[in-house]
């Protein structure tokens, strides 16, 4: 509530479409474009009228659009090098630093970016000194790849169908959920390969599919399941955690080195289950050992936290966009700007 009263953000106006001020608003990485659009919406209550009144500064480039427009066509393995992305972001920072006083005043400590593309963490790796204080809001929050929990922000990865801000509510009452655990997805990365190796189409209670059987509905199956398995893919970020929460299904986190979204304020142990990768073979035994009464408590808390992962336009208090901004606000409170601290 204090953030709602006080926090003001200046969105830099430098840069042109489609790399800046624009991002995907549907499908994979949709939350990246939705966030950029919200920050530039004149109705946004956090929008500063002048940069001098701002507590934080947003760099509104889209990593997804840089990859889509600058890296196409990809003709060889060398085209996957991150140097063009890194050069673009570094040049953008230099432009705003040369034109305005604010980056140099704090050495970037009150500036932030927002990226849900897998390459988001790589923007700063070519020049760590320039970005050492910079706040990165990232879906791909992998601590083994340079994510800094005290400085960066872990963002929920959300898939949005065209024209929709979320899936239909198809979750059943806890007592009517007949599937113990559910997952459907490709063998992307070693964790999913292990999951499919141990459980693919082998158990009626732990339903794991590489491809859904014909006629089955993915969202309905999640709504009929007590637990939804959320393994890493090629990267730690995945929309499955939020899909589970939308279906009011208890997420089962099977990931290494992942900083869960909004962990500053959300205690994930109260509404999810973590299973180590080396215990994938024991999934059924672990979940069956959880008393039904404890499962019901976990599930009720999933229902309670769902609002923190919902997308609204314009954004609403306590929704996913406000949660991301709150995480930035908390990190901004740790930055003192000498005589002009706010």
């Amino acid at each position: 509530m204090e953030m709602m009263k006080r926090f003001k953000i200046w969105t830099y106006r430098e840069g042109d479409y489609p790399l800046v001020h624009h991002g995907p608003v549907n499908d994979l990485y949709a939350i990246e474009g939705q966030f950029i659009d919200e920050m530039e919406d004149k109705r946004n209550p956090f929008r500063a009228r002048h940069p001098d009144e701002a507590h934080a500064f947003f760099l509104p480039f889209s990593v997804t659009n840089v990859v889509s427009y600058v890296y196409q066509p990809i003709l060889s393995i060398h085209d996957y090098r991150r140097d063009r992305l890194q050069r673009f972001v570094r040049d953008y920072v230099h432009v705003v630093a040369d034109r305005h006083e604010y980056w140099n005043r704090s050495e970037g400590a009150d500036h932030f970016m927002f990226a849900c593309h897998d390459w988001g963490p790589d923007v700063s790796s070519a020049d760590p000194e320039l970005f050492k204080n910079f706040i990165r809001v990232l879906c791909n929050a992998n601590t083994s790849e340079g994510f800094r929990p005290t400085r960066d922000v872990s963002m929920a990865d959300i898939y949005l169908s065209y024209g929709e801000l979320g899936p239909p509510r198809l979750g059943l009452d806890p007592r009517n959920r007949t599937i113990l655990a559910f997952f459907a997805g490709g063998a992307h990365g070693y964790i999913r390969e292990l999951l499919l190796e141990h459980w693919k189409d082998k158990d009626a209670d732990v339903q794991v599919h590489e491809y859904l059987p014909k006629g089955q509905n993915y969202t309905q199956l999640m709504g009929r399941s007590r637990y939804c398995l959320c393994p890493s893919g090629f990267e730690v970020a995945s929309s499955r955690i939020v899909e589970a929460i939308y279906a009011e299904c208890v997420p089962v986190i099977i990931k290494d080195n992942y900083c869960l979204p909004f962990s500053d304020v959300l205690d994930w142990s109260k509404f999810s289950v973590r299973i180590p990768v080396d215990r994938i073979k024991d999934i059924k035994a672990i979940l069956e050992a959880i008393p039904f009464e404890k499962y019901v408590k976990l599930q009720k808390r999933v229902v309670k936290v769902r609002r923190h992962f919902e997308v609204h336009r314009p954004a609403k208090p306590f929704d996913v966009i406000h949660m991301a901004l709150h995480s930035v606000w908390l990190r901004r409170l740790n930055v003192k700007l000498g005589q002009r601290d706010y």
Side-chain angles (χ1 to χ4, degrees):
M1 297 304 296
E2 187 68 18
M3 178 192 76
M4 288 290 298
K5 295 176 185 175
R6 300 184 58 189
F7 197 27
K8 294 298 178 184
I9 299 166
W10 179 258
T11 298
Y12 282 111
R13 296 173 180 175
E14 284 75 11
D16 299 311
Y17 282 40
L19 306 185
V20 188
H21 310 293
H22 180 65
V25 294
N26 299 116
D27 302 323
L28 201 60
Y29 313 129
I31 194 63
E32 184 176 302
Q34 293 285 352
F35 186 89
I36 292 171
D37 193 57
E38 177 70 23
M39 289 300 97
E40 302 207 334
D41 192 324
K42 292 181 179 179
R43 298 170 294 176
N44 177 12
F46 300 104
R47 183 183 173 115
R49 293 169 296 179
H50 188 278
D52 281 348
E53 73 174 17
H55 306 100
F57 298 82
F58 177 49
L59 280 62
F61 57 81
S62 168
V63 172
T64 301
N65 278 9
V66 172
V67 175
S68 296
Y69 290 96
V70 175
Y71 279 81
Q72 299 298 331
I74 291 178
L75 302 176
S76 74
I77 190 67
H78 300 292
D79 291 329
Y80 286 97
R81 291 173 56 183
R82 311 296 198 258
D83 55 334
R84 283 177 282 176
L85 170 64
Q86 293 162 344
R87 189 163 56 248
F88 167 80
V89 175
R90 187 168 58 239
D91 289 349
Y92 189 84
V93 169
H94 287 316
V95 167
V96 298
D98 288 344
R99 292 184 181 179
H100 309 283
E101 64 177 297
Y102 309 105
W103 178 281
N104 295 325
R105 183 181 68 184
S106 69
E107 295 185 323
D110 51 0
H111 286 58
F112 71 100
M113 60 169 275
F114 188 106
C116 270
H117 193 278
D118 293 347
W119 293 12
D122 296 322
V123 301
S124 54
S125 56
D127 196 342
E129 182 64 23
L130 178 65
F131 295 103
K132 66 181 180 181
N133 301 313
F134 187 46
I135 300 170
R136 302 175 305 166
V137 182
L138 302 171
C139 289
N140 192 13
N142 189 333
T143 57
S144 72
E145 297 177 357
F147 182 86
R148 307 160 299 174
T150 59
R151 193 82 203 122
D152 298 324
V153 173
S154 177
M155 180 61 190
D157 197 352
I158 302 175
Y159 180 96
L160 296 177
S161 299
Y162 182 80
E164 302 288 342
L165 291 178
R169 298 192 180 212
L170 301 177
L172 300 180
D173 181 272
R175 290 166 179 79
N176 296 329
R177 292 177 181 247
T178 57
I179 302 170
L180 177 65
F182 170 75
F183 171 82
H188 303 157
Y190 79 98
I191 293 178
R192 290 198 193 178
E193 289 175 357
L194 279 173
L195 179 65
L196 291 166
E197 176 186 339
H198 285 287
W199 293 103
K200 178 182 173 182
D201 302 324
K202 294 180 180 178
D203 194 288
D205 295 321
V206 179
Q207 295 194 15
V208 172
H209 310 284
E210 187 170 6
Y211 302 101
L212 272 183
K214 190 175 180 179
Q216 298 278 11
N217 181 285
Y218 178 79
T219 305
Q220 287 181 345
L221 286 169
M222 293 188 97
R224 291 167 48 198
S225 303
R226 293 185 183 178
Y227 299 94
C228 289
L229 306 179
C230 304
S232 291
F234 291 125
E235 302 290 350
V236 294
S238 168
S239 60
R240 278 173 173 76
I241 292 179
V242 174
E243 289 169 350
I245 291 172
Y246 284 176
E248 300 174 355
C249 178
V250 177
V252 178
I253 314 299
I254 312 174
K255 300 173 184 281
D256 287 329
N257 308 308
Y258 182 46
C259 182
L260 288 159
F262 318 134
S263 295
D264 298 310
V265 292
L266 296 183
D267 183 351
W268 282 79
S269 69
K270 303 293 187 183
F271 60 93
S272 69
V273 176
R274 292 200 83 147
I275 293 182
V277 173
D278 62 5
R279 296 202 64 190
I280 283 177
K281 65 182 183 302
D282 302 320
I283 284 174
K284 186 172 184 177
I286 291 170
L287 297 180
E288 286 185 330
I290 299 173
F292 183 76
E293 293 75 16
K294 181 178 179 180
Y295 155 71
V296 170
K297 289 181 180 179
L298 290 169
Q299 197 271 343
K300 286 183 176 179
R301 291 179 188 135
V302 170
V303 175
K304 188 174 181 178
V305 301
R306 173 179 168 140
R307 66 172 180 157
H308 300 312
F309 296 90
E310 292 176 340
V311 182
H312 298 284
R313 298 299 315 279
K316 295 181 179 181
F318 304 105
D319 74 359
V320 73
I321 290 178
H322 279 220
M323 291 294 286
L325 290 174
H326 182 257
S327 296
V328 174
W329 161 256
L330 292 177
R331 284 148 183 80
R332 172 60 184 86
L333 291 175
N334 292 328
V335 177
K336 187 168 184 175
L337 304 179
Q339 298 292 324
R340 293 194 60 189
D341 192 38
Y342 294 91

